[in-house]
Amino acid sequence: EQRPDVDTFDVGAQYHKHDLSLALTKAWRKEIPAVTDSRGAVLGYKLVLQNWRVSTLPVLSADFSHIRELHMTGLRVGAGMAFGVESNINQFIRSFVSLTSLKIDDSRLARFPEAIGALSNLKELSLSNNALRLSQEDQAKVAGLVHLQSLNLSGCLLTGRFNVTTLTELRELNLSRTQAIIWPLGVMQLNNLSHLDLSDNNILTVPQEVLNGSLTLNRGTSLVGNELAPAGIQQLQVYQMRTGIDFGLHLEANHPPLQAFNDGVWLEG
C-alpha cells in the first residue's frame, strides 16, 4: 500500500487543496499553456501541479481528454490518510486518457501506479526521485508503452534486469541510481536511442556486446559513479584508445577513473 504522508497534514494542506481545485478548473477551461506541433497547431494542453500536499486527489467527472501533458512534481498525496492513497492516485491518472507526457517526480510514490500501463499514447514518462521499487510485473507494464521516446526511472529500484526490447522508439533512457548491475536487455538493438544514463549504479564490467555496439549510443552513455573492477577499467581504456569514447569517465591509460569528491580528506588535510 502507498505510504501515507501523515506528518505533513496541517492548515496549509487545506490551502493547497483549494489551489489544486483552481488549477484543475483552469485546465478544464483550457486556460493553461497549449501543446503545439512544429507549425504551431494546438495539439492539446499542459497541466503542471507542483509542490502541493493534499489528503486526496479529486475524483474528476469532467472531460480532461484535451490534456496532453501532465507534470506533477513535489506532490504529497495522502496527508493524514492511512489507507487508499494508491487507488486515489490511479483514479486521478485515469481521468487523463490522452496523455503523451506524464511526469510524477519527487512525489514519494512507493508503488508503481498501475493506471500508467493503460496510457498507450505516452511518448514521455518520468518517475524520478521517488521511493519506487519496480517489480518485474511493473517493468512489463512500462515495456508495454511502445511509443515511449523518453523514459526516466532515475532513483527507482529495478528488480532483475530491465527488458527494453519492445521500446523501439526510445531516444533517451535514464536508469541512474537504480542499482543496476548490467545494461538493460535489448538496449543495444534500439536504433533510435542516443542517450543512456547508467550513472551511480553497481556496474563492474562492460559487456562485449556494448563494446561492439553503436558508437552513437556509447558516445551518449554515462557510467559515472560506477566502481568498475580493474578488468572493466582496462576494457574501457583500450576501447577509448580505439574510439575516443570514455562513457563520461575521463579515463587515461595510467590513471584510475575520477572518484567522487571526499570533503573529509580535504578538510582534515
Side-chain angles (χ1 to χ4, degrees):
E1 187 67 21
Q2 177 74 32
R3 273 204 312 272
D5 189 6
V6 295
D7 297 326
T8 61
F9 183 76
D10 55 23
V11 176
Q14 295 297 325
Y15 291 105
H16 290 194
K17 189 174 182 179
H18 175 71
D19 291 344
L20 177 57
S21 176
L22 289 178
L24 291 170
T25 299
K26 287 184 176 181
W28 176 67
R29 293 174 176 169
K30 303 179 182 178
E31 298 173 353
I32 54 176
V35 177
T36 60
D37 63 15
S38 58
R39 296 173 294 180
V42 175
L43 302 176
Y45 295 85
K46 177 179 179 178
L47 174 58
V48 178
L49 305 175
Q50 190 169 10
N51 296 328
W52 289 341
R53 60 184 184 277
V54 292
S55 57
T56 62
L57 293 167
V59 177
L60 302 177
S61 57
D63 181 9
F64 283 88
S65 61
H66 55 288
I67 303 297
R68 294 293 187 271
E69 299 184 5
L70 175 59
H71 295 176
M72 299 188 286
T73 304
L75 204 63
R76 299 290 183 263
V77 180
M81 289 181 63
F83 303 103
V85 181
E86 180 185 350
S87 59
N88 178 243
I89 292 174
N90 276 308
Q91 64 83 19
F92 186 76
I93 293 173
R94 290 190 186 102
S95 300
F96 301 91
V97 296
S98 303
L99 292 180
T100 58
S101 174
L102 174 62
K103 296 182 179 181
I104 312 178
D105 301 321
D106 298 297
S107 295
R108 297 188 184 178
L109 290 178
R111 296 192 63 179
F112 177 76
E114 295 183 356
I116 292 176
L119 298 175
S120 58
N121 295 318
L122 273 189
K123 294 183 179 180
E124 179 181 30
L125 175 62
S126 179
L127 299 172
S128 68
N129 299 321
N130 289 290
L132 280 174
R133 177 187 293 269
L134 293 181
S135 66
Q136 291 289 310
E137 183 180 357
D138 297 332
Q139 294 175 40
K141 289 184 174 69
V142 174
L145 301 171
V146 296
H147 297 300
L148 282 179
Q149 297 178 7
S150 176
L151 176 59
N152 185 354
L153 298 178
S154 178
C156 298
L157 174 59
L158 299 180
T159 58
R161 189 179 184 187
F162 187 29
N163 189 340
V164 297
T165 304
T166 58
L167 301 179
T168 56
E169 299 180 24
L170 210 55
R171 299 176 183 177
E172 299 179 354
L173 177 58
N174 188 338
L175 297 181
S176 63
R177 298 183 294 110
T178 57
Q179 298 190 20
I181 61 174
I182 194 171
W183 268 246
L185 184 64
V187 73
M188 299 308 296
Q189 284 70 53
L190 300 182
N191 296 327
N192 295 307
L193 190 64
S194 59
H195 291 87
L196 174 61
D197 192 343
L198 294 174
S199 61
D200 298 312
N201 281 307
N202 301 319
I203 294 172
L204 298 177
T205 60
V206 182
Q208 194 61 43
E209 177 191 17
V210 172
L211 300 178
N212 294 335
S214 165
L215 295 180
T216 298
L217 177 54
N218 287 346
R219 193 170 286 112
T221 297
S222 174
L223 290 178
V224 172
N226 287 276
E227 296 187 7
L228 294 170
I233 294 174
Q234 292 177 356
Q235 278 182 306
L236 293 186
Q237 287 173 338
V238 172
Y239 182 79
Q240 181 182 359
M241 292 177 62
R242 178 165 60 87
T243 65
I245 298 172
D246 63 4
F247 297 91
L249 297 175
H250 308 292
L251 293 169
E252 296 181 13
N254 298 314
H255 298 279
L258 293 177
Q259 300 297 316
F261 174 60
N262 187 332
D263 60 348
V265 173
W266 178 70
L267 289 170
E268 296 174 6

